Amino acid sequence: MRTFLGVVVGYALFLLPPVALLRIDPEASVSPEFMVVATMYGMFFAFLGGLAARRIARRGDRRAGAIVAVLIAAGALGSLLTFPEGSSSAAAIVTLVLFAPMAFVGGGVRGRRPSHSQPGISPR
């Protein structure tokens, strides 16, 4: 149940902020600077989505972040297959190549563990 909740929250964290803050007309031309900033913004939220999914699921469970990455990639592939060539295909390729891997990386980040051994003494 925690893994499912982590995946839902992680995917929503990836999807909702960019949709809410970057609403633009897909047919409108945008500057290269805006595209770079929007790409970095999407990568950041994909990373946070994977990280949140893992934290909610369990600290040692990397599946939740990987599932978020797969969902992001599946959405991009679906977009590539259903939309005609144009601006949406470029966005789908960026999503597939950059955003999905960032969610996977975010889901693989380990938190700090407290040290149970004393310095200079190796565990048996």
Side-chain angles (χ1 to χ4, degrees):
M1 185 64 179
R2 287 181 63 145
T3 300
F4 176 77
L5 180 62
V7 168
V8 169
V9 170
Y11 190 70
L13 186 58
F14 161 71
L15 192 61
L16 295 180
V19 167
L21 296 176
L22 296 175
R23 288 189 281 173
I24 60 170
D25 180 14
E27 301 299 321
S29 63
V30 294
S31 69
E33 294 86 9
F34 178 81
M35 290 190 316
V36 169
V37 170
T39 299
M40 292 178 72
Y41 187 76
M43 290 172 66
F44 175 74
F45 279 101
F47 179 85
L48 283 182
L51 181 65
R54 180 173 180 181
R55 292 286 180 140
I56 292 170
R58 298 232 186 270
R59 285 186 180 244
D61 187 5
R62 294 182 183 169
R63 290 179 297 172
I67 293 169
V68 171
V70 167
L71 288 174
I72 293 170
L77 283 173
S79 179
L80 278 173
L81 296 174
T82 58
F83 288 114
E85 291 184 33
S87 63
S88 62
S89 65
I93 290 170
V94 167
T95 301
L96 186 61
V97 172
L98 296 175
F99 298 170
M102 285 305 290
F104 186 77
V105 169
V109 171
R110 295 178 62 135
R112 298 177 118 191
R113 289 185 175 191
S115 176
H116 295 295
S117 65
Q118 295 177 359
I121 300 175
S122 63
R124 295 182 191 209

